[in-house]
Amino acid sequence: GPRTSIDWGFRLRDGLWIGAGLDYDINTGLKQTYTRPELIHNYSQGIFSLAWQPAPKWMLGVSYRPLRNQNRTKFAKPDEGYDNVIQGYSGDEIFEVRAFSNYTIEEVEIAHYADVQAFYMGEDFSAGLNVKGGHSETDLTYSATMHYPKGYWEENLFDADLKMRWTPAGKLLSVGASARFVKEDGWGVRPDFSEVLLYDNPYMMYSGGLGISYWLRSADLLTVIEYIAEQYDIEVWDNGANLYRSADHLSQIARVGLEKRISNVYAFRAGYEYTDYPMDRWIKLPRNIDISRITAGFGAFVSGWDVDLHFTYGLGTQEDSDLERQEIGGMIWFTRYMR
């Protein structure tokens, strides 16, 4: 499905800007095996920001981002005429089995995030710090004829991200480094027992990265290589099953890329990304998955318009079961420069 991003900025006076933006994403999917569910994803996020330049090399900013994320899964009676048998789990031990001809599960997340940024932009050295905090609430409902509550999930987030870049004057080499700390606590309850904490899943992540880019002047070609290591400390309390689990694992990301410019107007890009052992989105535990992505892009600056096209193809392999999942995506950016 399509994804759209709109951004707007306005200078109030010298050294002071305001901005606003909207991201909207909708896509659908249909599995071809029983029970042939139809998945509908709808995502929207707004952003309102203020930027202030107190000195020539410094920039400070604040932003607020409300978010709504909806996922709906529909089960219809298949052509064979069988009822859909749905197994629902709340943790590892609490489960229920239902049979329906038609069934819908809906997940709606409402979140609010605030960011504070500080940037230093020197001649040879630049750095930026972004500190984000936020809160999200997710309601899960199911329906055959009427909507019924199924689950509730809440998360609190703190995220501090530091990036630095050093480019020696007159050199074609640029070196970048990053450091990040994330602390998140998610917990869930069942609607029928809202006074009882069913699931608690706090985790902390420490990350460090290093990247190097080099410009081959003779060929007008930019080459980039980057490596990121993410250390996770994860705890899970499954009170419904009286279980405690913890994980301490390292996730690694490697990227390489090329960009070829022609007449400083057109740009052709290609890249490769490899991710080892990512963390599961919902139950914050590691998954033994390898993900490979190939990217390609094209950019052009024509008549005051900056146009960028981006394409991604990814393949994820579940090492424990040899299952594979493919992903294909693309995006187009249009940027207009106005005086």
Side-chain angles (χ1 to χ4, degrees):
R3 180 174 183 177
T4 303
S5 296
I6 301 174
D7 297 295
W8 172 85
F10 181 75
R11 186 177 67 178
L12 296 175
R13 59 177 178 84
D14 288 344
L16 186 63
W17 296 265
I18 59 172
L22 175 66
D23 296 332
Y24 182 77
D25 178 15
I26 182 170
N27 59 69
T28 60
L30 179 64
K31 291 187 177 181
Q32 298 301 321
T33 57
Y34 177 83
T35 54
R36 295 192 181 95
E38 179 186 9
L39 302 108
I40 303 173
H41 170 76
N42 192 308
Y43 172 91
S44 59
Q45 175 184 261
I47 182 169
F48 307 92
S49 58
L50 176 69
W52 174 50
Q53 187 175 22
K57 296 183 179 182
W58 285 91
M59 182 75 73
L60 305 177
V62 295
S63 62
Y64 164 68
R65 295 182 291 115
L67 177 151
R68 184 181 188 273
N69 184 27
Q70 180 182 23
N71 292 295
R72 182 184 296 121
T73 305
K74 294 182 178 180
F75 301 89
K77 199 164 191 173
D79 297 336
E80 295 84 357
Y82 304 129
D83 281 343
N84 293 299
V85 179
I86 309 298
Q87 297 181 354
Y89 289 83
S90 299
D92 286 336
E93 294 293 334
I94 302 175
F95 64 93
E96 58 184 6
V97 179
R98 294 173 178 265
F100 292 95
S101 57
N102 294 282
Y103 187 79
T104 300
I105 301 175
E106 187 174 63
E107 162 200 337
V108 178
E109 176 189 9
I110 303 296
H112 301 271
Y113 298 101
D115 297 73
V116 178
Q117 302 102 7
F119 300 94
Y120 173 80
M121 296 160 287
E123 296 180 1
D124 298 339
F125 176 79
S126 59
L129 174 65
N130 185 88
V131 178
K132 176 172 69 176
H135 176 82
S136 69
E137 299 180 5
T138 301
D139 282 301
L140 301 172
T141 60
Y142 71 90
S143 63
T145 56
M146 297 179 60
H147 279 276
Y148 296 94
K150 183 176 180 63
Y152 175 81
W153 185 264
E154 185 171 323
E155 286 185 348
N156 295 308
L157 172 69
F158 175 82
D159 185 346
D161 192 3
L162 174 66
K163 289 182 170 61
M164 299 169 286
R165 185 176 63 184
W166 175 60
T167 305
K171 302 296 182 181
L172 306 179
L173 178 71
S174 181
V175 179
S178 65
R180 188 180 179 192
F181 171 73
V182 177
K183 182 178 181 181
E184 185 172 316
D185 187 6
W187 55 270
V189 298
R190 297 184 74 201
D192 296 336
F193 305 94
S194 58
E195 300 298 325
V196 179
L197 180 64
L198 178 65
Y199 213 86
D200 194 9
N201 187 194
Y203 82 91
M204 290 188 291
M205 188 272 285
Y206 311 86
S207 172
L210 180 66
I212 300 174
S213 66
Y214 186 78
W215 179 38
L216 300 173
R217 181 180 294 174
S218 59
D220 207 1
L221 181 69
L222 181 67
T223 61
V224 180
I225 184 170
E226 182 183 17
Y227 172 79
I228 300 173
E230 298 177 339
Q231 174 66 39
Y232 289 91
D233 295 330
I234 308 167
E235 294 180 297
V236 175
W237 282 273
D238 188 342
N239 296 321
N242 195 27
L243 292 175
Y244 171 80
R245 289 175 290 174
S246 63
D248 179 3
H249 83 284
L250 180 70
S251 178
Q252 303 178 81
I253 304 170
R255 301 185 181 105
V256 293
L258 298 172
E259 180 180 280
K260 169 65 176 177
R261 289 190 171 272
I262 299 177
S263 303
N264 207 30
V265 175
Y266 304 101
F268 297 87
R269 307 181 185 96
Y272 174 77
E273 178 188 83
Y274 173 79
T275 304
D276 173 52
Y277 239 68
M279 186 177 67
D280 187 84
R281 172 185 171 236
W282 271 116
I283 302 174
K284 300 298 193 301
L285 286 172
R287 297 180 298 166
N288 192 9
I289 297 177
D290 296 328
I291 301 176
S292 296
R293 292 187 178 95
I294 299 174
T295 64
F298 170 77
F301 182 76
V302 181
S303 302
W305 282 93
D306 199 349
V307 182
D308 274 284
L309 292 81
H310 174 77
F311 171 80
T312 301
Y313 171 78
L315 179 65
T317 303
Q318 180 84 37
E319 295 295 331
D320 299 331
S321 57
D322 291 329
L323 295 176
E324 292 185 347
R325 171 170 291 185
Q326 300 182 57
E327 60 180 59
I328 298 176
M331 185 172 290
I332 303 176
W333 289 272
F334 295 95
T335 304
R336 175 66 171 172
Y337 296 93
M338 306 176 66
R339 295 181 180 275

